[in-house]
Structures are given as C-alpha cells and as structure tokens.
Amino acid sequence: MPKAQINAQPLKKVEPEFIGGKAKFGSFIMKNYSYPSQALKANVTGQIVVRFRVTQNGGIDSVQATKHYGFGTGEEIVRVIKLTSGQWKPGRINGKRAAMFVTMPMYLEPD
C-alpha cells in the first residue's frame, strides 16, 4: 500500500483589506450609514458585528449582521457593507487570491 505524503508547510495567509486601509473604511461607513429612525427613537447604541465574504476579485457577498439591536440597525449595516463591493484587496493563501470571510465589530452611536 503506498504511503500518503503530507505537506507540513504552514499556509501563508493574508487577510482581505479595504483599499485605502482601515481609516478609509471607517470614513466610508460613517459617510454612508444612515442611522435608522426607529433606532434613534429607541436610543440604540452599542456594538454590532457584521460578517461577509470578500471574493477572489474583491467583491462582497454573504453579508450578515451577526449581532445587532434590531430597529433596522442590522439591515442598514448590511446595505452599507454591500456598497463596498469591488473596493477590497482579496485575501491570499500561499500567494494565490482566495475568497475569505471577514468578521468586523463596529460601534453604533448617533451624531
């Protein structure tokens, strides 16, 4: 019976990155996130978490608000994250483009 060969080399993984960096991503979110009126009335503040996949071409899919406070907060962050499609450097595994999930916490606070 032939023996299996195992490649024990560690993977070189590079996470996806918003083109322009974290500060530009934060500015984009702040500019485009419209605080839902129901959330304003309920005085909703706090951390929400969004999860999405950056494709091999820098697009976005599979967007989900995994933690939110209702009152439209989850739907609005999903809408805004979808606007960033095409503005990402895809992740890489061993130098090759790879689709990867990103989980990102964000803090909500009205102006």
Side-chain angles (χ1 to χ4, degrees):
M1 175 177 251
K3 292 185 178 182
Q5 290 187 356
I6 298 173
N7 185 352
Q9 302 256 340
L11 293 178
K12 292 181 182 177
K13 185 176 175 182
V14 177
E15 297 292 328
E17 181 183 343
F18 189 76
I19 296 170
K22 290 181 182 180
K24 189 170 181 182
F25 178 74
S27 295
F28 182 92
I29 298 298
M30 288 174 41
K31 177 182 173 188
N32 290 283
Y33 188 89
S34 180
Y35 220 88
S37 61
Q38 304 103 330
L40 282 171
K41 289 176 188 172
N43 200 27
V44 172
T45 61
Q47 187 182 65
I48 61 174
V49 179
V50 65
R51 183 174 191 261
F52 55 94
R53 188 174 76 135
V54 178
T55 67
Q56 292 174 322
N57 296 323
I60 297 291
D61 65 17
S62 304
V63 185
Q64 293 180 302
T66 59
K67 177 185 174 189
H68 59 91
Y69 295 96
F71 301 100
T73 57
E75 292 87 347
E76 180 61 5
I77 197 61
V78 166
R79 181 191 72 79
V80 174
I81 292 297
K82 286 180 179 179
L83 293 176
T84 70
S85 191
Q87 298 183 57
W88 289 83
K89 293 179 191 174
R92 294 185 175 271
I93 296 177
N94 292 338
K96 295 181 182 178
R97 289 180 177 199
M100 291 184 192
F101 278 94
V102 174
T103 300
M104 192 170 293
M106 296 180 206
Y107 192 80
L108 286 182
E109 188 172 33
D111 292 335

